[in-house]
Each structure stands twice: as structure tokens, then as C-alpha cells.
Amino acid sequence: MDRHALIQSLEVELHRPDVRRDAALVRSYLHEDFAEIGRSGRFWTADDIAASIAASPERSEPPVADEWRFVDLSETLVLVTYRLRLDARTSRHSSLWEVVAPRPLLRFHQGTVVPG
């Protein structure tokens, strides 16, 4: 599996309910210096977001992600963008993955709601 496919599969795993329910498992996907700027504009650390995701209510249906794009910024950094549709909401997402052994880790994430 090439690194873009691997990163996409990890990103999709973070959308799965069984992964999201487990804060320690979510945390294992995140780099120690992870940061997120949420749809609300709030800044989140790795521990903040892992706990918040685990405490979130179950989603009514799994989100659908498409329009994937990958840009290799360096040998170890990959920028990922995609569109996410969940219920009647659509948002655009960007992630920065650091490619390290044994698997890539998420360093940064931002989600932006697409109006109407």
C-alpha cells in the first residue's frame, strides 16, 4: 500500500464509531504535538480532542468522505484535503500527516463547514 492510500485509510478509521469511542485509541493516531482548529474555531490539543471525540454521541450514520487530494510537502509530511458529508452537513477538511515508523501520525487537522 502506498503512503497516500495508507494515510487515507487511517483518516477514514478516525471516522469509525468503534475507534471514536476509545480515547486511548484515538490518541494513538495523533502526534504528540497534534493540534486541531475545530469547525467552531476552537483550538484543540491531542488529549482534548481524543477525550471530546470519545464523549461525543454516536453518529446516526457514517460520514462519507470524497474529493481526496494529497500533496507531499516533504519526505515525511503529507497534506491531505477532502470533503466530508454527514447527515445534511458538508464540511471541508485538511490534515497534515507525519510519515514515521511504525505508521503515520496526524499532526494537524482543521474542519470548515460548507454553508447551505
Side-chain angles (χ1 to χ4, degrees):
M1 177 180 300
D2 76 12
R3 73 191 206 157
H4 294 169
L6 174 58
I7 289 168
Q8 182 174 340
S9 72
L10 293 170
E11 190 88 45
V12 169
E13 285 176 22
L14 284 166
H15 300 161
R16 291 186 1 215
D18 59 316
V19 172
R20 294 176 69 81
R21 278 191 299 268
D22 185 338
L25 182 56
V26 169
R27 185 65 183 83
S28 75
Y29 287 73
L30 308 178
H31 189 277
E32 64 186 31
D33 295 325
F34 172 84
E36 176 166 335
I37 299 172
R39 287 178 239 151
S40 66
R42 180 177 172 187
F43 180 85
W44 301 83
T45 66
D47 291 335
D48 293 337
I49 200 68
S52 177
I53 288 172
S56 295
E58 285 279 324
R59 293 174 166 168
S60 59
E61 61 185 61
V64 175
D66 61 7
E67 298 185 8
W68 292 90
R69 293 189 63 222
F70 300 87
V71 177
D72 293 314
L73 300 176
S74 73
E75 288 185 24
T76 60
L77 293 174
V78 178
L79 174 64
V80 181
T81 59
Y82 60 94
R83 179 177 65 175
L84 192 69
R85 289 177 284 159
L86 177 62
D87 300 323
R89 296 182 311 174
T90 300
S91 52
R92 297 260 176 207
H93 294 258
S94 59
S95 297
L96 184 62
W97 286 84
E98 185 164 346
V99 182
V100 294
R103 72 170 189 206
L105 293 173
L106 185 56
R107 279 198 73 111
F108 177 80
H109 183 82
Q110 182 166 6
T112 303
V113 173
V114 176

